[in-house]
């Protein structure tokens, strides 16, 4: 059965799904930020700060003049409700979504779905990466500056040291995550030390089940979407996304 929506109805559905059109709370705080990110499913992190860093803006456009400290506490505080990973791009996501992305972490360990240079580094320098992981386990939270030794790439944005490349590989693989931030600098720790125990101990869903749930989250957050929109929300692989959308449609 083919459903037809007028452009006006489609716009209203999409805006409502994204949390627009509601009266902002009188005193927005951490709970409102947490609920917003749960509704959206993912908020992209970006260093661009012409107005404010990009991850602060969805809250302003939906909650009004909320305290930025509320987002920071949810993302990088002691009793956090959000965590960082590659959701859309570098993103903040509800901690409950971490098991849904373990298939991506597992693929990353095999060099799949990961930046080519980082994948190559993972193949060629695995012993070095394992040494970095052991050092984090021994030392506790670290920053990229703690592992700044080694040759760097070409000058510019991606002139990473070997230590930074190792940290990025471990982050993609889900073995470490952002425990907090100092300014905009990541402070890494072992994932099992940084995230709530309930999340770490949650069972890992089957890859297809996890991807179907990510498509459901995307559909709820978008309201009206093409298949390509549903795929891109969490940057799912093309073939996987097509299969999951077809399965969900078939199931009603």
């Amino acid at each position: 059965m083919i459903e037809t929506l007028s452009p006006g109805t489609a716009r209203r559905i999409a805006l409502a799904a994204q949390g627009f059109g509601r009266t902002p709370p009188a005193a927005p705080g951490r709970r409102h930020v947490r609920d917003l990110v749960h509704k959206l499913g993912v908020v992209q992190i970006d260093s661009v700060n012409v107005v404010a860093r990009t991850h602060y803006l969805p809250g302003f456009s939906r909650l009004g003049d909320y305290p930025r400290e509320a987002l920071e506490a949810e993302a990088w505080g002691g009793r956090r409700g959000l965590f960082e990973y590659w959701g859309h791009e570098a993103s903040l996501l509800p901690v409950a979504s971490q098991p849904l992305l373990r298939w991506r972490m597992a693929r990353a360990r095999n060099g799949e779905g990961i930046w080519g240079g980082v994948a190559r580094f993972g193949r060629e320098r695995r012993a070095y990466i394992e040494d970095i992981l052991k050092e984090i386990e021994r030392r506790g939270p670290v920053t990229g500056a703690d592992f700044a030794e080694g040759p760097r790439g070409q000058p510019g944005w991606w002139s990473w040291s070997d230590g930074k490349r190792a940290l990025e590989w471990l982050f993609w693989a889900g073995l470490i995550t952002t425990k907090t931030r100092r300014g905009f600098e990541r402070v890494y720790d072992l994932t099992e030390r940084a995230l709530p125990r309930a999340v770490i101990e949650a069972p890992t869903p089957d890859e297809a089940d996890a991807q179907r749930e990510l498509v459901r989250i995307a559909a709820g957050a978008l309201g009206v979407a093409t298949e390509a929109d549903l795929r891109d929300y969490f940057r799912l692989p093309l073939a996987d996304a097509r299969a999951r959308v077809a399965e969900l449609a078939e199931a009603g």
Side-chain angles (χ1 to χ4, degrees):
M1 181 173 63
I2 298 175
E3 297 286 352
T4 301
L5 298 174
S6 70
T9 298
R11 282 193 293 270
R12 286 191 292 273
I13 291 172
L15 288 168
Q18 277 286 300
F20 292 110
R22 299 178 180 180
T23 302
R30 283 188 64 171
R31 177 177 61 82
H32 300 98
V33 169
R34 186 186 315 124
D35 291 346
L36 174 62
V37 180
H38 274 264
K39 181 177 184 61
L40 298 177
V42 60
V43 167
Q44 184 172 331
I45 299 171
D46 204 312
S47 61
V48 174
N49 62 350
V50 174
V51 177
R53 294 199 191 275
T54 307
H55 43 284
Y56 295 111
L57 299 182
F60 281 118
S61 61
R62 294 160 176 83
L63 302 176
D65 189 14
Y66 79 103
R68 290 191 297 181
E69 294 80 7
L71 175 63
E72 292 162 0
E74 277 299 298
W76 305 300
R79 300 183 64 184
R80 62 199 298 179
L82 309 176
F83 81 108
E84 288 188 34
Y85 190 60
W86 296 101
H88 179 76
E89 291 289 334
S91 303
L92 289 170
L93 308 104
V95 291
S97 295
Q98 196 265 357
L100 301 178
L101 291 159
R102 290 176 187 165
W103 62 272
R104 177 167 287 166
M105 299 169 187
R107 289 190 185 187
R109 290 170 209 152
N110 293 324
E112 301 173 30
I114 186 172
W115 295 333
V118 176
R120 185 169 57 255
F121 189 83
R123 292 192 300 271
E124 296 173 354
R125 301 294 304 278
R126 186 61 62 90
Y128 174 76
I129 291 172
E130 290 174 356
D131 287 343
I132 294 289
L133 184 62
K134 291 175 183 175
E135 182 67 11
I136 297 170
E137 184 176 5
R138 182 190 68 80
R139 186 191 301 189
V142 300
T143 68
D146 293 316
F147 300 100
E149 77 283 356
R152 292 179 175 269
Q154 294 298 315
W157 189 261
W158 303 113
S159 59
W160 288 350
S161 67
D162 283 355
K164 174 61 174 173
R165 290 186 180 93
L167 292 172
E168 286 297 323
W169 189 93
L170 290 166
F171 184 85
W172 269 103
L175 299 173
I176 64 173
T177 192
T178 308
K179 183 177 180 66
T180 188
R181 281 185 181 254
R182 295 173 187 157
F184 196 62
E185 182 182 29
R186 280 177 179 163
V187 179
Y188 300 95
D189 201 359
L190 300 180
T191 299
E192 61 261 31
R193 291 200 298 232
L195 297 187
R197 179 181 297 274
V199 173
I200 298 302
E201 295 180 349
T204 300
D206 175 79
E207 186 173 284
D209 288 341
Q211 291 174 349
R212 277 190 291 270
E213 185 59 27
L214 291 172
V215 172
R216 286 192 190 97
I217 293 170
L222 291 168
V224 174
T226 65
E227 182 185 80
D229 296 331
L230 295 172
R231 178 190 70 80
D232 191 56
Y233 205 75
F234 288 101
R235 295 288 164 88
L236 299 176
L238 178 60
D240 291 337
R242 285 178 173 170
R244 303 296 88 82
V245 170
E247 291 158 4
L248 289 167
E250 179 67 22

